[in-house]
Amino acid sequence: MRINIPYIFINFTLFCIFFIGFQLFIPLPFTGLLDEALMGFSMLLIFSYPSFIKQCGGVYKLFIGYFIYNIVNYFISPYSNSFYMMMLQSCISLKVFIVMLALFCSYKNLNDYCKAKLWKRIKFIIYSFTFIFFVALFLNIILGVFWMEMWNLPIMYRNGMLRVFGMFKEGGANGYFIAFVVMTLLFFKLSGKLNLRNVVIISIVAIILSYISSYRKTVLFCFPLILFYNKSLTHKRRSLNILLGAICVLIFAPYILGSSYSEETIRDLSNFTTNDSSYIRGLLFYNGFWLALKCFPFGTGAATFGSVYSQFNTLSVYRLVGMERWILDFEEGGAEIFDNYLGSIVAELGFLGMIIYVLLVIRIYKFIIQSIPSTYKIWFKIIHVYLIITSAMGPFICSADGTAIFSLFFIYFLIKNETVSSLKYVSRQ
């Protein structure tokens, strides 16, 4: 009997998504390891499964170049203490892209019968998640602080308004879930076409949900959405839209910039250009680029600054930039230090490593975008650009919630991009 490895892998991914998504309500001890197990399984398939090796082609050269660079960087850097943590963090820094590549290759190797069975499961999970997400969001708003106390969550405020958690243990995952999953479901519900009516509806919903959930990252989704819509128009219409957009910005700018929401955002952004603040994302971003310049053209090494394993590997880099208190004094005002992905990866990889990293990400993107049918290709482009934009702010790409949310979107997108009616026909046979 032949074992269908790609089918098993996608089902294992759905298993991981389910338990990572419900870790707030089902706090099982192994949940924290699921995203790394998924990443490990993905790496194993990409580098050992014959069909995947044949499909991936040019991606391998860049992957190998990326790992060779990290090994060289490890021996050059005076900071890293652990070769094992360096290699593990090198993979974690690409976690979402690694899992996405493995999922895509797996899906391409499935027959219609397997795809039809997956369609039922992914629909159940994505609609269940969305329903429970909004129920939890509503309960959080109604119960207020009691919701946080009930689930042992931190109590935080923005502009005097309690920041909600919904169904996710990490608050920021709410904003990402809205952007990646809720907006995707809405797009397909609105006929899957990127016309003016749908762009306006999706943008309004994104802004409203951003305000309700108190997570600004959802609003950022409007930028790639409008960008790709405008790009799809004729040159004359495009110029007219840019002019109308500029007029709207001039009219509403005083009201938008005068709001406390905008004032806080501008204040946070200003902290990205200095190390004289207590804003952790700003400190990681500023010091990340400073470290990359100091170690030019190499970096401090994977797992040394702003990444998950850096706190176990070494404190040397944090002492160098005066940030060790964020780890050592966690209970006295410190915070988790993996809160800015771009600052971390620039510091660890350095400018030379970032060139290899960017080329690898572009190559994975091109491999996928050139191989999928064109039905909803533009939506994947929007989501991918949003993924890159948000990476300048949060650690979505290398987090457990990020892996689960993006994988949930990606599997749904792949199946929805098929002729769903034919899959339904196969499932009835």
PDB file of all heavy atoms in Angstrom, residues 338-368:
ATOM      1  N   PHE A 338      11.050  39.495  21.141  1.00  0.00           N
ATOM      2  CA  PHE A 338      10.841  39.140  19.738  1.00  0.00           C
ATOM      3  C   PHE A 338       9.601  39.851  19.216  1.00  0.00           C
ATOM      4  O   PHE A 338       8.598  39.242  18.917  1.00  0.00           O
ATOM      5  CB  PHE A 338      10.700  37.621  19.556  1.00  0.00           C
ATOM      6  CG  PHE A 338      10.599  36.851  20.844  1.00  0.00           C
ATOM      7  CD1 PHE A 338       9.392  36.419  21.336  1.00  0.00           C
ATOM      8  CD2 PHE A 338      11.746  36.570  21.569  1.00  0.00           C
ATOM      9  CE1 PHE A 338       9.298  35.719  22.522  1.00  0.00           C
ATOM     10  CE2 PHE A 338      11.655  35.862  22.760  1.00  0.00           C
ATOM     11  CZ  PHE A 338      10.435  35.440  23.237  1.00  0.00           C
ATOM     12  N   ASP A 339       9.717  41.182  19.085  1.00  0.00           N
ATOM     13  CA  ASP A 339       8.546  41.969  18.722  1.00  0.00           C
ATOM     14  C   ASP A 339       8.751  42.792  17.457  1.00  0.00           C
ATOM     15  O   ASP A 339       7.870  43.547  17.070  1.00  0.00           O
ATOM     16  CB  ASP A 339       8.169  42.898  19.888  1.00  0.00           C
ATOM     17  CG  ASP A 339       6.687  43.230  19.888  1.00  0.00           C
ATOM     18  OD1 ASP A 339       5.891  42.392  19.438  1.00  0.00           O
ATOM     19  OD2 ASP A 339       6.340  44.341  20.311  1.00  0.00           O
ATOM     20  N   ASN A 340       9.928  42.687  16.832  1.00  0.00           N
ATOM     21  CA  ASN A 340      10.136  43.362  15.553  1.00  0.00           C
ATOM     22  C   ASN A 340      10.978  42.463  14.658  1.00  0.00           C
ATOM     23  O   ASN A 340      12.188  42.322  14.844  1.00  0.00           O
ATOM     24  CB  ASN A 340      10.829  44.711  15.744  1.00  0.00           C
ATOM     25  CG  ASN A 340      10.925  45.485  14.437  1.00  0.00           C
ATOM     26  OD1 ASN A 340      11.745  45.182  13.580  1.00  0.00           O
ATOM     27  ND2 ASN A 340      10.059  46.480  14.284  1.00  0.00           N
ATOM     28  N   TYR A 341      10.332  41.880  13.683  1.00  0.00           N
ATOM     29  CA  TYR A 341      10.986  40.883  12.828  1.00  0.00           C
ATOM     30  C   TYR A 341      12.084  41.498  11.972  1.00  0.00           C
ATOM     31  O   TYR A 341      13.194  40.978  11.888  1.00  0.00           O
ATOM     32  CB  TYR A 341       9.929  40.233  11.938  1.00  0.00           C
ATOM     33  CG  TYR A 341      10.470  39.237  10.943  1.00  0.00           C
ATOM     34  CD1 TYR A 341      10.835  37.956  11.363  1.00  0.00           C
ATOM     35  CD2 TYR A 341      10.611  39.574   9.607  1.00  0.00           C
ATOM     36  CE1 TYR A 341      11.326  37.031  10.458  1.00  0.00           C
ATOM     37  CE2 TYR A 341      11.095  38.656   8.693  1.00  0.00           C
ATOM     38  CZ  TYR A 341      11.450  37.382   9.119  1.00  0.00           C
ATOM     39  OH  TYR A 341      11.940  36.478   8.221  1.00  0.00           O
ATOM     40  N   LEU A 342      11.800  42.654  11.340  1.00  0.00           N
ATOM     41  CA  LEU A 342      12.759  43.248  10.410  1.00  0.00           C
ATOM     42  C   LEU A 342      14.037  43.674  11.124  1.00  0.00           C
ATOM     43  O   LEU A 342      15.148  43.398  10.654  1.00  0.00           O
ATOM     44  CB  LEU A 342      12.126  44.442   9.693  1.00  0.00           C
ATOM     45  CG  LEU A 342      12.997  45.129   8.639  1.00  0.00           C
ATOM     46  CD1 LEU A 342      13.445  44.139   7.574  1.00  0.00           C
ATOM     47  CD2 LEU A 342      12.251  46.292   8.001  1.00  0.00           C
ATOM     48  N   GLY A 343      13.896  44.355  12.262  1.00  0.00           N
ATOM     49  CA  GLY A 343      15.081  44.776  13.021  1.00  0.00           C
ATOM     50  C   GLY A 343      15.932  43.597  13.441  1.00  0.00           C
ATOM     51  O   GLY A 343      17.162  43.639  13.370  1.00  0.00           O
ATOM     52  N   SER A 344      15.274  42.531  13.859  1.00  0.00           N
ATOM     53  CA  SER A 344      15.978  41.323  14.298  1.00  0.00           C
ATOM     54  C   SER A 344      16.741  40.665  13.157  1.00  0.00           C
ATOM     55  O   SER A 344      17.935  40.354  13.277  1.00  0.00           O
ATOM     56  CB  SER A 344      14.980  40.330  14.901  1.00  0.00           C
ATOM     57  OG  SER A 344      15.583  39.069  15.097  1.00  0.00           O
ATOM     58  N   ILE A 345      16.060  40.454  12.039  1.00  0.00           N
ATOM     59  CA  ILE A 345      16.678  39.695  10.944  1.00  0.00           C
ATOM     60  C   ILE A 345      17.777  40.502  10.250  1.00  0.00           C
ATOM     61  O   ILE A 345      18.780  39.941   9.797  1.00  0.00           O
ATOM     62  CB  ILE A 345      15.601  39.211   9.948  1.00  0.00           C
ATOM     63  CG1 ILE A 345      16.158  38.047   9.131  1.00  0.00           C
ATOM     64  CG2 ILE A 345      15.100  40.321   9.056  1.00  0.00           C
ATOM     65  CD1 ILE A 345      15.117  37.310   8.343  1.00  0.00           C
ATOM     66  N   VAL A 346      17.634  41.828  10.196  1.00  0.00           N
ATOM     67  CA  VAL A 346      18.689  42.673   9.623  1.00  0.00           C
ATOM     68  C   VAL A 346      19.946  42.598  10.487  1.00  0.00           C
ATOM     69  O   VAL A 346      21.064  42.491   9.976  1.00  0.00           O
ATOM     70  CB  VAL A 346      18.207  44.131   9.486  1.00  0.00           C
ATOM     71  CG1 VAL A 346      19.371  45.084   9.250  1.00  0.00           C
ATOM     72  CG2 VAL A 346      17.209  44.251   8.344  1.00  0.00           C
ATOM     73  N   ALA A 347      19.759  42.644  11.807  1.00  0.00           N
ATOM     74  CA  ALA A 347      20.908  42.557  12.716  1.00  0.00           C
ATOM     75  C   ALA A 347      21.594  41.198  12.612  1.00  0.00           C
ATOM     76  O   ALA A 347      22.828  41.115  12.537  1.00  0.00           O
ATOM     77  CB  ALA A 347      20.457  42.807  14.151  1.00  0.00           C
ATOM     78  N   GLU A 348      20.807  40.131  12.620  1.00  0.00           N
ATOM     79  CA  GLU A 348      21.368  38.773  12.642  1.00  0.00           C
ATOM     80  C   GLU A 348      22.016  38.381  11.323  1.00  0.00           C
ATOM     81  O   GLU A 348      23.069  37.745  11.300  1.00  0.00           O
ATOM     82  CB  GLU A 348      20.284  37.771  13.028  1.00  0.00           C
ATOM     83  CG  GLU A 348      19.806  37.938  14.460  1.00  0.00           C
ATOM     84  CD  GLU A 348      18.880  36.823  14.914  1.00  0.00           C
ATOM     85  OE1 GLU A 348      18.343  36.087  14.059  1.00  0.00           O
ATOM     86  OE2 GLU A 348      18.689  36.681  16.133  1.00  0.00           O
ATOM     87  N   LEU A 349      21.383  38.729  10.213  1.00  0.00           N
ATOM     88  CA  LEU A 349      21.909  38.341   8.906  1.00  0.00           C
ATOM     89  C   LEU A 349      22.915  39.334   8.345  1.00  0.00           C
ATOM     90  O   LEU A 349      23.822  38.964   7.593  1.00  0.00           O
ATOM     91  CB  LEU A 349      20.767  38.176   7.899  1.00  0.00           C
ATOM     92  CG  LEU A 349      19.806  37.009   8.119  1.00  0.00           C
ATOM     93  CD1 LEU A 349      18.741  37.003   7.033  1.00  0.00           C
ATOM     94  CD2 LEU A 349      20.545  35.678   8.134  1.00  0.00           C
ATOM     95  N   GLY A 350      22.761  40.609   8.698  1.00  0.00           N
ATOM     96  CA  GLY A 350      23.622  41.619   8.098  1.00  0.00           C
ATOM     97  C   GLY A 350      23.166  41.925   6.677  1.00  0.00           C
ATOM     98  O   GLY A 350      22.258  41.285   6.145  1.00  0.00           O
ATOM     99  N   PHE A 351      23.790  42.887   6.034  1.00  0.00           N
ATOM    100  CA  PHE A 351      23.350  43.315   4.704  1.00  0.00           C
ATOM    101  C   PHE A 351      23.611  42.264   3.631  1.00  0.00           C
ATOM    102  O   PHE A 351      22.807  42.068   2.725  1.00  0.00           O
ATOM    103  CB  PHE A 351      24.012  44.646   4.333  1.00  0.00           C
ATOM    104  CG  PHE A 351      23.479  45.800   5.118  1.00  0.00           C
ATOM    105  CD1 PHE A 351      24.210  46.346   6.165  1.00  0.00           C
ATOM    106  CD2 PHE A 351      22.230  46.333   4.840  1.00  0.00           C
ATOM    107  CE1 PHE A 351      23.706  47.411   6.896  1.00  0.00           C
ATOM    108  CE2 PHE A 351      21.715  47.396   5.568  1.00  0.00           C
ATOM    109  CZ  PHE A 351      22.462  47.938   6.603  1.00  0.00           C
ATOM    110  N   LEU A 352      24.721  41.559   3.742  1.00  0.00           N
ATOM    111  CA  LEU A 352      25.016  40.503   2.773  1.00  0.00           C
ATOM    112  C   LEU A 352      24.007  39.363   2.903  1.00  0.00           C
ATOM    113  O   LEU A 352      23.498  38.842   1.899  1.00  0.00           O
ATOM    114  CB  LEU A 352      26.439  39.980   2.986  1.00  0.00           C
ATOM    115  CG  LEU A 352      26.958  38.945   1.981  1.00  0.00           C
ATOM    116  CD1 LEU A 352      26.911  39.505   0.562  1.00  0.00           C
ATOM    117  CD2 LEU A 352      28.381  38.525   2.340  1.00  0.00           C
ATOM    118  N   GLY A 353      23.700  38.978   4.136  1.00  0.00           N
ATOM    119  CA  GLY A 353      22.718  37.925   4.375  1.00  0.00           C
ATOM    120  C   GLY A 353      21.326  38.331   3.941  1.00  0.00           C
ATOM    121  O   GLY A 353      20.551  37.505   3.451  1.00  0.00           O
ATOM    122  N   MET A 354      20.992  39.625   4.086  1.00  0.00           N
ATOM    123  CA  MET A 354      19.678  40.101   3.676  1.00  0.00           C
ATOM    124  C   MET A 354      19.490  40.005   2.166  1.00  0.00           C
ATOM    125  O   MET A 354      18.385  39.762   1.688  1.00  0.00           O
ATOM    126  CB  MET A 354      19.470  41.553   4.132  1.00  0.00           C
ATOM    127  CG  MET A 354      19.107  41.687   5.602  1.00  0.00           C
ATOM    128  SD  MET A 354      17.607  40.790   6.081  1.00  0.00           S
ATOM    129  CE  MET A 354      16.355  41.618   5.123  1.00  0.00           C
ATOM    130  N   ILE A 355      20.564  40.187   1.412  1.00  0.00           N
ATOM    131  CA  ILE A 355      20.468  40.039  -0.048  1.00  0.00           C
ATOM    132  C   ILE A 355      20.084  38.607  -0.408  1.00  0.00           C
ATOM    133  O   ILE A 355      19.190  38.368  -1.225  1.00  0.00           O
ATOM    134  CB  ILE A 355      21.811  40.427  -0.711  1.00  0.00           C
ATOM    135  CG1 ILE A 355      22.075  41.920  -0.538  1.00  0.00           C
ATOM    136  CG2 ILE A 355      21.800  40.059  -2.202  1.00  0.00           C
ATOM    137  CD1 ILE A 355      23.452  42.371  -0.990  1.00  0.00           C
ATOM    138  N   ILE A 356      20.754  37.634   0.237  1.00  0.00           N
ATOM    139  CA  ILE A 356      20.440  36.218  -0.008  1.00  0.00           C
ATOM    140  C   ILE A 356      19.016  35.907   0.446  1.00  0.00           C
ATOM    141  O   ILE A 356      18.257  35.221  -0.252  1.00  0.00           O
ATOM    142  CB  ILE A 356      21.448  35.309   0.720  1.00  0.00           C
ATOM    143  CG1 ILE A 356      22.868  35.580   0.226  1.00  0.00           C
ATOM    144  CG2 ILE A 356      21.095  33.824   0.533  1.00  0.00           C
ATOM    145  CD1 ILE A 356      23.955  34.897   1.038  1.00  0.00           C
ATOM    146  N   TYR A 357      18.652  36.436   1.603  1.00  0.00           N
ATOM    147  CA  TYR A 357      17.309  36.212   2.161  1.00  0.00           C
ATOM    148  C   TYR A 357      16.231  36.741   1.218  1.00  0.00           C
ATOM    149  O   TYR A 357      15.256  36.045   0.913  1.00  0.00           O
ATOM    150  CB  TYR A 357      17.221  36.890   3.527  1.00  0.00           C
ATOM    151  CG  TYR A 357      15.849  36.897   4.132  1.00  0.00           C
ATOM    152  CD1 TYR A 357      15.411  35.840   4.928  1.00  0.00           C
ATOM    153  CD2 TYR A 357      14.962  37.959   3.919  1.00  0.00           C
ATOM    154  CE1 TYR A 357      14.142  35.838   5.493  1.00  0.00           C
ATOM    155  CE2 TYR A 357      13.696  37.960   4.469  1.00  0.00           C
ATOM    156  CZ  TYR A 357      13.297  36.904   5.253  1.00  0.00           C
ATOM    157  OH  TYR A 357      12.036  36.907   5.784  1.00  0.00           O
ATOM    158  N   VAL A 358      16.387  37.978   0.751  1.00  0.00           N
ATOM    159  CA  VAL A 358      15.396  38.593  -0.137  1.00  0.00           C
ATOM    160  C   VAL A 358      15.288  37.817  -1.444  1.00  0.00           C
ATOM    161  O   VAL A 358      14.182  37.566  -1.944  1.00  0.00           O
ATOM    162  CB  VAL A 358      15.754  40.069  -0.403  1.00  0.00           C
ATOM    163  CG1 VAL A 358      14.887  40.652  -1.518  1.00  0.00           C
ATOM    164  CG2 VAL A 358      15.586  40.896   0.871  1.00  0.00           C
ATOM    165  N   LEU A 359      16.420  37.407  -2.007  1.00  0.00           N
ATOM    166  CA  LEU A 359      16.410  36.621  -3.244  1.00  0.00           C
ATOM    167  C   LEU A 359      15.675  35.298  -3.047  1.00  0.00           C
ATOM    168  O   LEU A 359      14.928  34.846  -3.929  1.00  0.00           O
ATOM    169  CB  LEU A 359      17.840  36.363  -3.720  1.00  0.00           C
ATOM    170  CG  LEU A 359      18.602  37.583  -4.266  1.00  0.00           C
ATOM    171  CD1 LEU A 359      20.046  37.208  -4.561  1.00  0.00           C
ATOM    172  CD2 LEU A 359      17.927  38.131  -5.520  1.00  0.00           C
ATOM    173  N   LEU A 360      15.868  34.669  -1.895  1.00  0.00           N
ATOM    174  CA  LEU A 360      15.199  33.400  -1.600  1.00  0.00           C
ATOM    175  C   LEU A 360      13.690  33.582  -1.486  1.00  0.00           C
ATOM    176  O   LEU A 360      12.909  32.805  -2.059  1.00  0.00           O
ATOM    177  CB  LEU A 360      15.761  32.799  -0.302  1.00  0.00           C
ATOM    178  CG  LEU A 360      15.128  31.499   0.201  1.00  0.00           C
ATOM    179  CD1 LEU A 360      15.187  30.402  -0.853  1.00  0.00           C
ATOM    180  CD2 LEU A 360      15.799  31.030   1.494  1.00  0.00           C
ATOM    181  N   VAL A 361      13.272  34.611  -0.763  1.00  0.00           N
ATOM    182  CA  VAL A 361      11.831  34.893  -0.603  1.00  0.00           C
ATOM    183  C   VAL A 361      11.188  35.199  -1.960  1.00  0.00           C
ATOM    184  O   VAL A 361      10.094  34.720  -2.264  1.00  0.00           O
ATOM    185  CB  VAL A 361      11.611  36.057   0.384  1.00  0.00           C
ATOM    186  CG1 VAL A 361      10.148  36.511   0.371  1.00  0.00           C
ATOM    187  CG2 VAL A 361      12.018  35.648   1.794  1.00  0.00           C
ATOM    188  N   ILE A 362      11.872  35.985  -2.783  1.00  0.00           N
ATOM    189  CA  ILE A 362      11.362  36.310  -4.124  1.00  0.00           C
ATOM    190  C   ILE A 362      11.253  35.051  -4.981  1.00  0.00           C
ATOM    191  O   ILE A 362      10.275  34.856  -5.704  1.00  0.00           O
ATOM    192  CB  ILE A 362      12.265  37.353  -4.813  1.00  0.00           C
ATOM    193  CG1 ILE A 362      12.127  38.710  -4.115  1.00  0.00           C
ATOM    194  CG2 ILE A 362      11.909  37.489  -6.300  1.00  0.00           C
ATOM    195  CD1 ILE A 362      13.109  39.759  -4.610  1.00  0.00           C
ATOM    196  N   ARG A 363      12.262  34.178  -4.873  1.00  0.00           N
ATOM    197  CA  ARG A 363      12.259  32.949  -5.682  1.00  0.00           C
ATOM    198  C   ARG A 363      11.111  32.027  -5.274  1.00  0.00           C
ATOM    199  O   ARG A 363      10.453  31.423  -6.130  1.00  0.00           O
ATOM    200  CB  ARG A 363      13.598  32.214  -5.520  1.00  0.00           C
ATOM    201  CG  ARG A 363      13.755  31.019  -6.452  1.00  0.00           C
ATOM    202  CD  ARG A 363      13.820  31.471  -7.897  1.00  0.00           C
ATOM    203  NE  ARG A 363      13.753  30.360  -8.838  1.00  0.00           N
ATOM    204  CZ  ARG A 363      12.641  29.813  -9.295  1.00  0.00           C
ATOM    205  NH1 ARG A 363      11.469  30.280  -8.893  1.00  0.00           N
ATOM    206  NH2 ARG A 363      12.676  28.828 -10.150  1.00  0.00           N
ATOM    207  N   ILE A 364      10.843  31.897  -3.976  1.00  0.00           N
ATOM    208  CA  ILE A 364       9.723  31.074  -3.502  1.00  0.00           C
ATOM    209  C   ILE A 364       8.401  31.670  -4.009  1.00  0.00           C
ATOM    210  O   ILE A 364       7.523  30.950  -4.486  1.00  0.00           O
ATOM    211  CB  ILE A 364       9.722  30.982  -1.963  1.00  0.00           C
ATOM    212  CG1 ILE A 364      10.935  30.185  -1.476  1.00  0.00           C
ATOM    213  CG2 ILE A 364       8.429  30.324  -1.457  1.00  0.00           C
ATOM    214  CD1 ILE A 364      11.119  30.201   0.032  1.00  0.00           C
ATOM    215  N   TYR A 365       8.285  33.001  -3.901  1.00  0.00           N
ATOM    216  CA  TYR A 365       7.074  33.682  -4.363  1.00  0.00           C
ATOM    217  C   TYR A 365       6.841  33.443  -5.857  1.00  0.00           C
ATOM    218  O   TYR A 365       5.735  33.106  -6.290  1.00  0.00           O
ATOM    219  CB  TYR A 365       7.185  35.175  -4.066  1.00  0.00           C
ATOM    220  CG  TYR A 365       6.153  36.015  -4.773  1.00  0.00           C
ATOM    221  CD1 TYR A 365       4.840  36.067  -4.315  1.00  0.00           C
ATOM    222  CD2 TYR A 365       6.497  36.757  -5.902  1.00  0.00           C
ATOM    223  CE1 TYR A 365       3.886  36.839  -4.970  1.00  0.00           C
ATOM    224  CE2 TYR A 365       5.557  37.531  -6.560  1.00  0.00           C
ATOM    225  CZ  TYR A 365       4.254  37.569  -6.093  1.00  0.00           C
ATOM    226  OH  TYR A 365       3.313  38.319  -6.745  1.00  0.00           O
ATOM    227  N   LYS A 366       7.887  33.615  -6.662  1.00  0.00           N
ATOM    228  CA  LYS A 366       7.753  33.439  -8.115  1.00  0.00           C
ATOM    229  C   LYS A 366       7.418  31.999  -8.469  1.00  0.00           C
ATOM    230  O   LYS A 366       6.617  31.745  -9.384  1.00  0.00           O
ATOM    231  CB  LYS A 366       9.048  33.865  -8.809  1.00  0.00           C
ATOM    232  CG  LYS A 366       9.221  35.374  -8.890  1.00  0.00           C
ATOM    233  CD  LYS A 366      10.449  35.736  -9.703  1.00  0.00           C
ATOM    234  CE  LYS A 366      10.554  37.242  -9.902  1.00  0.00           C
ATOM    235  NZ  LYS A 366      11.755  37.613 -10.686  1.00  0.00           N
ATOM    236  N   PHE A 367       8.011  31.057  -7.746  1.00  0.00           N
ATOM    237  CA  PHE A 367       7.727  29.646  -7.995  1.00  0.00           C
ATOM    238  C   PHE A 367       6.244  29.351  -7.780  1.00  0.00           C
ATOM    239  O   PHE A 367       5.611  28.639  -8.563  1.00  0.00           O
ATOM    240  CB  PHE A 367       8.581  28.777  -7.069  1.00  0.00           C
ATOM    241  CG  PHE A 367       8.210  27.322  -7.076  1.00  0.00           C
ATOM    242  CD1 PHE A 367       8.465  26.522  -8.180  1.00  0.00           C
ATOM    243  CD2 PHE A 367       7.591  26.746  -5.969  1.00  0.00           C
ATOM    244  CE1 PHE A 367       8.114  25.179  -8.188  1.00  0.00           C
ATOM    245  CE2 PHE A 367       7.233  25.411  -5.965  1.00  0.00           C
ATOM    246  CZ  PHE A 367       7.497  24.626  -7.071  1.00  0.00           C
ATOM    247  N   ILE A 368       5.677  29.922  -6.731  1.00  0.00           N
ATOM    248  CA  ILE A 368       4.272  29.675  -6.412  1.00  0.00           C
ATOM    249  C   ILE A 368       3.349  30.446  -7.352  1.00  0.00           C
ATOM    250  O   ILE A 368       2.408  29.883  -7.918  1.00  0.00           O
ATOM    251  CB  ILE A 368       3.982  30.032  -4.938  1.00  0.00           C
ATOM    252  CG1 ILE A 368       4.691  29.032  -4.016  1.00  0.00           C
ATOM    253  CG2 ILE A 368       2.476  30.032  -4.661  1.00  0.00           C
ATOM    254  CD1 ILE A 368       4.623  29.370  -2.556  1.00  0.00           C
TER     255      ILE A 368
END
